[in-house]
Coordinates of all heavy atoms in Angstrom, one line a residue:
M1 N -63.3 43.8 198.6 CA -62.3 44.7 197.9 C -61.7 43.9 196.8 O -61.5 44.4 195.7 CB -61.3 45.3 198.8 CG -60.5 46.3 198.2 SD -61.6 47.7 197.9 CE -60.4 48.9 197.4
K2 N -61.3 42.6 197.1 CA -60.7 41.8 196.1 C -61.6 41.5 194.9 O -61.1 41.4 193.7 CB -60.2 40.4 196.8 CG -59.4 39.6 195.9 CD -58.0 40.1 195.9 CE -57.1 39.0 195.3 NZ -55.8 39.5 195.0
A3 N -62.9 41.3 195.1 CA -63.8 41.1 194.0 C -63.9 42.3 193.1 O -64.0 42.1 191.9 CB -65.2 40.7 194.6
R4 N -63.8 43.4 193.6 CA -63.9 44.7 192.8 C -62.7 44.7 191.9 O -62.8 45.2 190.7 CB -63.9 45.9 193.6 CG -65.3 46.3 194.1 CD -65.2 47.7 194.7 NE -66.6 48.1 195.1 CZ -66.8 49.2 195.6 NH1 -65.9 50.1 195.8 NH2 -68.1 49.5 195.8
Q5 N -61.5 44.3 192.3 CA -60.3 44.4 191.6 C -60.3 43.3 190.4 O -59.6 43.5 189.5 CB -59.1 44.1 192.5 CG -58.8 45.3 193.4 CD -57.7 45.0 194.3 OE1 -57.3 43.9 194.5 NE2 -57.2 46.0 195.0
L6 N -61.1 42.3 190.6 CA -61.2 41.3 189.6 C -62.3 41.5 188.5 O -62.3 41.0 187.4 CB -61.5 39.9 190.2 CG -60.4 39.3 191.1 CD1 -60.8 38.1 191.7 CD2 -59.1 39.1 190.3
V7 N -63.3 42.4 188.9 CA -64.4 42.6 188.0 C -63.9 43.4 186.7 O -64.3 43.0 185.6 CB -65.5 43.4 188.7 CG1 -66.6 43.9 187.7 CG2 -66.1 42.6 189.8
L8 N -63.2 44.4 186.8 CA -62.7 45.2 185.6 C -61.9 44.4 184.7 O -62.2 44.3 183.5 CB -62.0 46.5 186.1 CG -61.6 47.4 184.9 CD1 -62.8 47.8 184.1 CD2 -60.8 48.6 185.5
P9 N -60.9 43.6 185.2 CA -60.1 42.8 184.3 C -61.0 41.7 183.6 O -60.8 41.4 182.4 CB -59.0 42.2 185.1 CG -58.8 43.1 186.3 CD -60.2 43.7 186.5
A10 N -61.9 41.2 184.4 CA -62.8 40.1 183.8 C -63.7 40.7 182.7 O -63.8 40.1 181.7 CB -63.6 39.5 184.9
L11 N -64.2 41.9 183.0 CA -65.0 42.5 181.9 C -64.2 42.9 180.7 O -64.7 42.7 179.6 CB -65.7 43.8 182.5 CG -66.8 43.6 183.5 CD1 -67.3 44.9 184.0 CD2 -68.0 42.8 182.8
L12 N -63.0 43.4 180.9 CA -62.1 43.7 179.8 C -61.8 42.4 179.0 O -61.8 42.4 177.8 CB -60.8 44.4 180.3 CG -61.0 45.8 180.7 CD1 -59.7 46.3 181.3 CD2 -61.4 46.7 179.5
G13 N -61.6 41.3 179.7 CA -61.3 40.0 179.1 C -62.5 39.6 178.2 O -62.3 39.1 177.1
V14 N -63.7 39.7 178.8 CA -64.9 39.3 178.0 C -65.0 40.2 176.8 O -65.4 39.7 175.7 CB -66.1 39.4 179.0 CG1 -67.4 39.2 178.2 CG2 -66.0 38.3 180.0
A15 N -64.8 41.5 176.9 CA -64.9 42.4 175.8 C -63.9 42.1 174.7 O -64.3 42.1 173.5 CB -64.7 43.8 176.3
V16 N -62.7 41.8 175.1 CA -61.7 41.4 174.1 C -62.0 40.1 173.4 O -62.0 40.0 172.2 CB -60.3 41.4 174.8 CG1 -59.3 40.7 173.8 CG2 -59.8 42.7 175.2
Y17 N -62.5 39.1 174.2 CA -62.9 37.9 173.6 C -64.0 38.1 172.6 O -64.0 37.5 171.5 CB -63.3 36.9 174.7 CG -63.8 35.6 174.1 CD1 -62.9 34.6 173.8 CD2 -65.1 35.3 173.9 CE1 -63.3 33.4 173.3 CE2 -65.6 34.1 173.4 CZ -64.6 33.1 173.1 OH -65.1 32.0 172.6
Y18 N -65.0 38.9 173.0 CA -66.1 39.1 172.1 C -65.7 39.9 170.8 O -66.2 39.6 169.7 CB -67.2 39.9 172.8 CG -68.5 40.0 172.0 CD1 -69.4 39.0 171.9 CD2 -68.8 41.2 171.3 CE1 -70.5 39.1 171.1 CE2 -69.9 41.4 170.6 CZ -70.8 40.3 170.5 OH -71.9 40.4 169.7
A19 N -64.8 40.8 171.0 CA -64.3 41.5 169.8 C -63.6 40.6 168.8 O -63.6 40.8 167.6 CB -63.4 42.7 170.3
V20 N -62.9 39.6 169.3 CA -62.1 38.8 168.5 C -62.9 37.6 167.9 O -62.9 37.3 166.8 CB -60.8 38.2 169.2 CG1 -60.1 37.2 168.4 CG2 -59.9 39.4 169.6
F21 N -63.7 36.9 168.8 CA -64.3 35.7 168.4 C -65.8 35.8 168.4 O -66.5 34.9 167.9 CB -64.0 34.6 169.4 CG -62.5 34.3 169.4 CD1 -61.7 34.6 170.5 CD2 -61.9 33.7 168.3 CE1 -60.4 34.3 170.5 CE2 -60.6 33.4 168.3 CZ -59.8 33.7 169.4
G22 N -66.4 36.8 168.9 CA -67.9 36.9 169.1 C -68.5 37.7 167.9 O -67.9 38.1 167.0
G23 N -69.8 37.9 168.0 CA -70.5 38.6 167.1 C -70.8 37.8 165.8 O -70.5 36.6 165.8
E24 N -71.3 38.4 164.8 CA -71.7 37.7 163.6 C -70.5 37.4 162.8 O -70.4 36.3 162.2 CB -72.6 38.6 162.8 CG -73.2 37.9 161.6 CD -74.3 38.8 160.9 OE1 -74.7 39.8 161.5 OE2 -74.6 38.4 159.8
Y25 N -69.5 38.2 162.8 CA -68.2 38.0 162.0 C -67.1 38.2 163.0 O -66.9 39.2 163.6 CB -68.1 38.9 160.8 CG -69.2 38.8 159.9 CD1 -70.2 39.8 159.8 CD2 -69.3 37.7 159.0 CE1 -71.3 39.7 158.9 CE2 -70.4 37.6 158.1 CZ -71.3 38.6 158.1 OH -72.4 38.5 157.2
T26 N -66.1 37.2 163.0 CA -65.0 37.3 163.8 C -63.9 38.1 163.1 O -64.1 38.4 161.9 CB -64.4 36.0 164.1 OG1 -63.9 35.3 163.0 CG2 -65.4 35.1 164.8
I27 N -62.9 38.5 163.8 CA -61.8 39.2 163.1 C -61.2 38.4 161.9 O -60.8 38.9 160.9 CB -60.7 39.6 164.1 CG1 -61.2 40.7 165.0 CG2 -59.4 40.0 163.5 CD1 -60.2 41.2 166.1
F28 N -61.1 37.1 162.1 CA -60.6 36.2 161.1 C -61.5 36.2 159.9 O -61.0 36.2 158.7 CB -60.4 34.8 161.6 CG -59.6 34.8 162.9 CD1 -60.1 34.3 164.1 CD2 -58.3 35.2 162.8 CE1 -59.3 34.3 165.3 CE2 -57.5 35.1 164.0 CZ -58.0 34.7 165.2
D29 N -62.8 36.2 160.1 CA -63.8 36.3 158.9 C -63.6 37.6 158.2 O -63.6 37.6 156.9 CB -65.2 36.2 159.4 CG -65.6 34.8 160.0 OD1 -64.9 33.9 159.6 OD2 -66.5 34.8 160.8
V30 N -63.5 38.7 158.9 CA -63.3 40.0 158.2 C -62.0 40.0 157.4 O -61.9 40.6 156.3 CB -63.4 41.1 159.3 CG1 -63.0 42.5 158.7 CG2 -64.7 41.2 159.9
S31 N -60.9 39.5 158.1 CA -59.6 39.5 157.4 C -59.7 38.7 156.1 O -59.2 39.1 155.0 CB -58.6 38.9 158.3 OG -57.3 38.9 157.7
S32 N -60.3 37.5 156.1 CA -60.3 36.7 154.9 C -61.3 37.3 153.9 O -61.0 37.2 152.7 CB -60.8 35.3 155.2 OG -62.1 35.2 155.7
A33 N -62.3 38.0 154.3 CA -63.2 38.7 153.4 C -62.4 39.9 152.7 O -62.6 40.1 151.5 CB -64.4 39.2 154.1
R34 N -61.6 40.6 153.4 CA -60.8 41.6 152.8 C -59.8 41.1 151.8 O -59.6 41.7 150.7 CB -60.0 42.4 153.9 CG -60.8 43.4 154.7 CD -60.0 44.2 155.6 NE -60.8 45.0 156.4 CZ -60.6 45.2 157.7 NH1 -59.6 44.7 158.3 NH2 -61.4 46.0 158.4
D35 N -59.2 40.0 152.1 CA -58.3 39.3 151.2 C -59.0 38.9 149.9 O -58.5 39.1 148.8 CB -57.6 38.1 151.8 CG -56.6 38.5 153.0 OD1 -56.3 39.7 153.0 OD2 -56.3 37.6 153.8
A36 N -60.1 38.3 150.1 CA -60.9 37.8 148.9 C -61.4 39.0 148.1 O -61.4 39.0 146.9 CB -62.1 37.0 149.4
T37 N -61.7 40.1 148.7 CA -62.2 41.3 148.0 C -61.0 41.9 147.2 O -61.2 42.3 146.1 CB -62.7 42.4 149.0 OG1 -63.8 41.8 149.7 CG2 -63.1 43.6 148.3
A38 N -59.8 41.9 147.8 CA -58.7 42.4 147.1 C -58.3 41.6 145.8 O -58.0 42.1 144.8 CB -57.4 42.5 148.0
V39 N -58.5 40.3 146.0 CA -58.2 39.4 144.8 C -59.3 39.6 143.7 O -58.9 39.7 142.5 CB -58.3 37.9 145.3 CG1 -58.3 37.0 144.1 CG2 -57.1 37.6 146.1
E40 N -60.5 39.8 144.1 CA -61.6 40.0 143.1 C -61.5 41.4 142.5 O -61.7 41.5 141.3 CB -63.0 39.9 143.8 CG -63.3 38.5 144.3 CD -63.2 37.4 143.2 OE1 -63.6 37.7 142.0 OE2 -62.7 36.3 143.4
V41 N -61.0 42.4 143.2 CA -60.9 43.7 142.6 C -59.8 43.7 141.6 O -59.9 44.3 140.5 CB -60.6 44.8 143.7 CG1 -60.0 46.1 143.1 CG2 -61.8 45.1 144.6
E42 N -58.7 43.0 141.9 CA -57.6 42.8 140.9 C -58.0 42.1 139.7 O -57.7 42.6 138.5 CB -56.4 42.1 141.6 CG -55.2 42.0 140.8 CD -54.1 41.2 141.5 OE1 -53.8 41.6 142.6 OE2 -53.5 40.3 140.9
A43 N -58.8 41.1 139.8 CA -59.4 40.3 138.7 C -60.3 41.2 137.9 O -60.3 41.2 136.6 CB -60.1 39.1 139.1
L44 N -61.1 42.0 138.5 CA -62.0 42.9 137.9 C -61.3 44.0 137.0 O -61.7 44.3 135.9 CB -63.0 43.6 138.9 CG -64.0 44.6 138.3 CD1 -64.9 43.9 137.3 CD2 -64.8 45.2 139.5
E45 N -60.2 44.5 137.6 CA -59.4 45.5 136.9 C -58.8 44.9 135.6 O -58.7 45.5 134.6 CB -58.3 46.0 137.8 CG -58.8 47.0 138.8 CD -59.6 48.2 138.3 OE1 -59.1 48.7 137.3 OE2 -60.7 48.5 138.8
R46 N -58.3 43.6 135.7 CA -57.7 42.9 134.5 C -58.8 42.7 133.5 O -58.6 43.0 132.3 CB -57.2 41.6 134.9 CG -55.8 41.6 135.5 CD -55.1 40.3 135.6 NE -55.9 39.2 136.1 CZ -56.1 38.8 137.3 NH1 -55.4 39.4 138.3 NH2 -56.9 37.8 137.7
I47 N -60.0 42.4 133.9 CA -61.1 42.1 132.9 C -61.5 43.5 132.3 O -61.8 43.5 131.1 CB -62.3 41.5 133.6 CG1 -61.9 40.0 134.0 CG2 -63.5 41.5 132.8 CD1 -62.9 39.3 134.9
R48 N -61.6 44.5 133.1 CA -61.9 45.8 132.5 C -60.9 46.3 131.5 O -61.2 46.8 130.4 CB -62.1 46.9 133.6 CG -63.4 46.7 134.3 CD -63.5 47.9 135.4 NE -64.8 47.8 136.0 CZ -65.0 48.2 137.2 NH1 -64.1 48.9 137.9 NH2 -66.2 48.1 137.7
S49 N -59.6 46.0 131.8 CA -58.6 46.4 130.9 C -58.7 45.6 129.6 O -58.5 46.2 128.5 CB -57.2 46.2 131.5 OG -56.2 46.4 130.6
E50 N -58.9 44.3 129.7 CA -59.1 43.5 128.5 C -60.3 43.9 127.7 O -60.2 43.9 126.5 CB -59.2 42.0 128.9 CG -59.2 41.0 127.8 CD -59.2 39.6 128.2 OE1 -59.0 39.3 129.4 OE2 -59.5 38.7 127.4
T51 N -61.4 44.2 128.4 CA -62.6 44.6 127.7 C -62.3 45.9 126.9 O -62.8 46.1 125.7 CB -63.7 44.8 128.7 OG1 -64.0 43.6 129.4 CG2 -65.0 45.3 128.0
D52 N -61.7 46.9 127.5 CA -61.3 48.1 126.8 C -60.5 47.9 125.6 O -60.7 48.5 124.5 CB -60.6 49.1 127.8 CG -61.6 49.7 128.8 OD1 -62.8 49.6 128.6 OD2 -61.1 50.2 129.9
S53 N -59.5 47.0 125.7 CA -58.6 46.7 124.6 C -59.4 46.0 123.5 O -59.2 46.3 122.3 CB -57.5 45.7 125.1 OG -56.7 45.3 124.1
L54 N -60.3 45.1 123.9 CA -61.1 44.4 122.8 C -62.1 45.4 122.2 O -62.3 45.3 121.0 CB -61.9 43.3 123.5 CG -61.0 42.1 123.8 CD1 -61.8 41.1 124.6 CD2 -60.4 41.4 122.6
R55 N -62.6 46.3 123.0 CA -63.5 47.3 122.4 C -62.8 48.2 121.4 O -63.3 48.5 120.3 CB -64.1 48.2 123.5 CG -65.1 49.2 123.0 CD -65.8 49.9 124.1 NE -66.6 49.0 124.9 CZ -66.5 48.8 126.2 NH1 -65.6 49.5 126.9 NH2 -67.3 48.0 126.8
L56 N -61.6 48.6 121.7 CA -60.8 49.4 120.7 C -60.5 48.6 119.5 O -60.5 49.1 118.4 CB -59.5 49.9 121.4 CG -59.7 50.9 122.5 CD1 -58.3 51.2 123.1 CD2 -60.2 52.2 121.9
R57 N -60.2 47.3 119.6 CA -59.9 46.4 118.5 C -61.1 46.3 117.6 O -61.0 46.4 116.4 CB -59.4 45.1 119.0 CG -59.2 44.1 117.9 CD -57.8 44.3 117.3 NE -57.6 43.2 116.4 CZ -57.0 43.3 115.2 NH1 -56.7 44.5 114.8 NH2 -56.8 42.3 114.4
V58 N -62.3 46.2 118.2 CA -63.5 46.1 117.4 C -63.8 47.3 116.7 O -64.1 47.3 115.5 CB -64.8 45.7 118.3 CG1 -66.1 45.9 117.6 CG2 -64.6 44.3 118.8
E59 N -63.6 48.5 117.3 CA -63.8 49.8 116.6 C -62.8 49.9 115.5 O -63.2 50.4 114.4 CB -63.6 50.9 117.6 CG -64.8 51.0 118.6 CD -64.5 52.1 119.7 OE1 -63.5 52.8 119.6 OE2 -65.3 52.1 120.6
A60 N -61.6 49.5 115.7 CA -60.6 49.6 114.6 C -61.0 48.7 113.4 O -60.9 49.1 112.3 CB -59.2 49.2 115.1
L61 N -61.4 47.5 113.7 CA -61.8 46.6 112.6 C -63.1 47.0 111.9 O -63.2 46.8 110.7 CB -62.1 45.2 113.2 CG -60.9 44.4 113.7 CD1 -61.3 43.1 114.4 CD2 -59.9 44.1 112.5
E62 N -64.0 47.7 112.6 CA -65.2 48.2 111.9 C -65.0 49.5 111.1 O -65.6 49.7 110.1 CB -66.3 48.4 113.0 CG -66.8 47.2 113.6 CD -67.9 47.5 114.7 OE1 -67.9 48.6 115.2 OE2 -68.6 46.5 115.0
S63 N -64.0 50.3 111.5 CA -63.9 51.6 110.9 C -62.7 51.7 109.9 O -62.7 52.5 109.0 CB -63.8 52.7 111.9 OG -62.7 52.5 112.7
D64 N -61.7 50.9 110.1 CA -60.5 51.0 109.2 C -60.8 50.3 107.9 O -61.4 49.2 107.9 CB -59.3 50.3 109.9 CG -58.6 51.2 111.0 OD1 -59.0 52.3 111.1 OD2 -57.8 50.6 111.7
P65 N -60.4 50.9 106.8 CA -60.6 50.3 105.5 C -59.7 49.1 105.2 O -58.7 48.9 105.7 CB -60.3 51.5 104.5 CG -59.6 52.5 105.2 CD -59.8 52.3 106.7

């Protein structure tokens, strides 16, 4: 009876350990990837904004007398 009471907590412990540290990517890997993605998305938005601004400037220089 004592062994049965230990099996479920042990299985839960293994499942939690695998969820945090196991598999191809750990929770820490996923978290750092999300952070890196957020930084890159912000940089991409700045570049797009700058590109649009430069495109408007080129159009103005080509068409204004």
Side-chain angles (χ1 to χ4, degrees):
M1 191 67 172
K2 187 78 167 168
R4 275 189 175 182
Q5 291 176 343
L6 294 177
V7 171
L8 183 60
L11 287 176
L12 287 174
V14 169
V16 168
Y17 178 83
Y18 186 77
V20 174
F21 298 109
E24 189 171 346
Y25 301 104
T26 67
I27 286 179
F28 305 115
D29 293 336
V30 172
S31 176
S32 67
R34 281 188 187 136
D35 293 343
T37 300
V39 168
E40 294 302 323
V41 165
E42 186 178 306
L44 181 60
E45 289 301 318
R46 281 195 314 268
I47 290 169
R48 283 183 177 157
S49 175
E50 185 177 348
T51 302
D52 289 342
S53 175
L54 290 172
R55 184 175 292 123
L56 290 174
R57 178 78 173 138
V58 167
E59 289 175 7
L61 289 171
E62 288 177 344
S63 64
D64 284 350

